[in-house]
Amino acid sequence: MLSRKQRALPAVPPIFDGEKEAKLIALACSKPPKGRARWSLRLLESKVVELNIVDRASDSTIGRVLKKTLSSPIAGSSGSSRRRPTAPS
């Protein structure tokens, strides 16, 4: 059976470490800019660079980080997968 050799380091170093992820999440959970109902990925992308959290990031990277966080077991349920309360029988 053929298998690939495991790399010691990833080909591209991650842009967000734990501390930077925490800052991004805090920003995403904060009040959106005036005139906006919510944060968009592009708004978050420009804000994390403006606040010097990271040097650069794409909106897809921001989305991936937030998706990873929101799908974790401790994040609770979100969206349409939320369980609906049922009447006691």
Side-chain angles (χ1 to χ4, degrees):
M1 181 167 138
L2 296 175
S3 61
R4 291 182 179 228
K5 183 180 175 186
Q6 197 82 14
R7 284 181 176 249
L9 296 172
V12 178
I15 295 173
F16 287 92
D17 60 9
E19 182 181 336
K20 292 175 183 177
E21 276 186 25
K23 289 179 181 180
L24 170 62
I25 294 162
L27 180 63
C29 292
S30 70
K31 190 174 177 182
K34 190 173 182 178
R36 301 287 185 151
R38 64 183 64 109
W39 284 99
S40 69
L41 294 178
R42 296 210 178 200
L43 282 171
L44 288 168
E45 172 190 355
S46 60
K47 196 66 171 178
V48 293
V49 173
E50 180 185 321
L51 295 174
N52 292 323
I53 296 172
V54 293
D55 295 331
R56 60 179 164 65
S58 68
D59 54 341
S60 61
T61 301
I62 302 288
R64 218 174 15 256
V65 170
L66 293 175
K67 182 178 180 181
K68 178 179 79 169
T69 304
L70 294 175
S71 65
S72 71
I74 62 168
S77 63
S78 63
S80 62
S81 63
R82 175 182 279 158
R83 297 180 82 188
R84 305 234 187 272
T86 56
S89 51

